[in-house]
Amino acid sequence: MYICPVKKIAVFASGNGSNAAKIIEQFRHHAAIKVSLIASNKPEAGVLKIGRAENIPSIILDKEKFLRGNAYTAELIQSGIDWIVLAGFLWKIPATLIRAFPGRIINIHPALLPKHGGKGMYGSFVHEAVLAAGEKESGISIHFVDEQYDHGKTIFQVRCPVRENDTPASLAKRIQQLEHEYYPKVIERLITGKSMVNGE
Ligand code: GAR
């Protein structure tokens, strides 16, 4: 009998790690997918605490090595990582890493790309831009990662209203609920080879 090997995910995150926590929860007892590594560029990032509490190995990425060295490609391959999932990771992914994981690096963005993405567009900056532009709706975008910020092919988007009296914080809360609801499911479907309704 052929037993499908477990697919290993590395989660890259720079912040609180609330999405990372949901992803870990989704795959804690999963038969085919496992979160095997947490990588962060910030030693004080909340996501590293989550990794420790869950007994998931973690690494703190060195800027020089990540951006101008081998981008940890050898180490990731050696650890048997199959997929890289960005969850609030703020460095651009170097070409070396993209070439080593073709179509297997994904990102989530808290707006409807191609609007309100790009360098410096993360967290509340995104929601401020959405409100300043007078958008009537926002949402989340899950996409493949290429060599530009927030740019690769879209896998999944879901929308929500922007309300008249929204502040960046109230909009962020609505968006975060969508992220937590959908990101783990989209990852699962992608890795197991099933596409989501509005993905291609
Ligand atoms: C998430 O809202 C994610 O969409 C955003 O960072 C937040 C991380 O939150 N990513 C970007 O803005 C990428 N451009 P978390 O640390 O609580 O998961």
Side-chain angles (χ1 to χ4, degrees):
M1 190 178 64
Y2 174 73
I3 298 172
C4 179
V6 169
K7 298 289 183 203
K8 293 184 176 181
I9 300 178
V11 176
F12 283 35
S14 305
N16 292 331
S18 73
N19 280 282
K22 292 286 172 189
I23 295 165
I24 291 166
E25 195 181 309
Q26 177 89 1
F27 300 119
R28 196 177 281 128
H29 304 295
H30 200 283
I33 302 169
K34 180 179 160 73
V35 176
S36 298
L37 185 70
I38 304 286
S40 183
N41 57 316
K42 289 198 181 154
E44 72 283 6
V47 70
L48 293 171
K49 284 198 200 98
I50 297 171
R52 277 196 293 277
E54 297 278 346
N55 279 321
I56 299 171
S58 62
I59 46 169
I60 296 166
L61 303 168
D62 174 74
K63 192 168 190 178
E64 198 55 32
K65 177 167 170 158
F66 189 76
L67 297 176
R68 282 168 283 277
N70 80 342
Y72 292 81
T73 303
E75 290 86 337
L76 291 163
I77 291 172
Q78 209 159 38
S79 320
I81 296 300
D82 298 290
W83 287 79
I84 297 173
V85 168
L86 311 186
F89 184 66
L90 300 184
W91 286 347
K92 195 148 90 166
I93 303 299
T96 329
L97 201 50
I98 294 170
R99 278 197 297 271
F101 290 85
R104 285 183 287 123
I105 309 181
I106 65 170
N107 181 41
I108 189 161
H109 185 75
L112 296 171
L113 293 173
K115 283 181 172 181
H116 311 299
K119 192 168 173 14
M121 290 301 270
Y122 61 89
S124 70
F125 295 116
V126 179
H127 308 304
E128 282 164 23
V130 167
L131 293 176
E135 302 286 4
K136 295 282 174 273
E137 57 178 14
S138 188
I140 62 168
S141 302
I142 298 169
H143 65 94
F144 290 108
V145 170
D146 67 9
E147 287 167 48
Q148 296 175 47
Y149 278 107
D150 304 322
H151 182 262
K153 188 169 179 259
T154 302
I155 300 164
F156 179 86
Q157 286 186 317
V158 66
R159 291 159 194 274
C160 66
V162 174
R163 304 219 165 96
E164 291 261 314
N165 55 352
D166 260 333
T167 61
S170 65
L171 183 55
K173 202 167 160 204
R174 197 170 309 126
I175 297 280
Q176 194 185 51
Q177 280 168 356
L178 292 177
E179 294 191 322
H180 292 175
E181 181 179 351
Y182 288 102
Y183 203 19
K185 288 185 198 157
V186 171
I187 294 166
E188 180 172 16
R189 298 195 68 121
L190 190 65
I191 296 181
T192 56
K194 299 171 199 145
S195 66
M196 293 291 285
V197 259
N198 68 355
E200 282 176 41

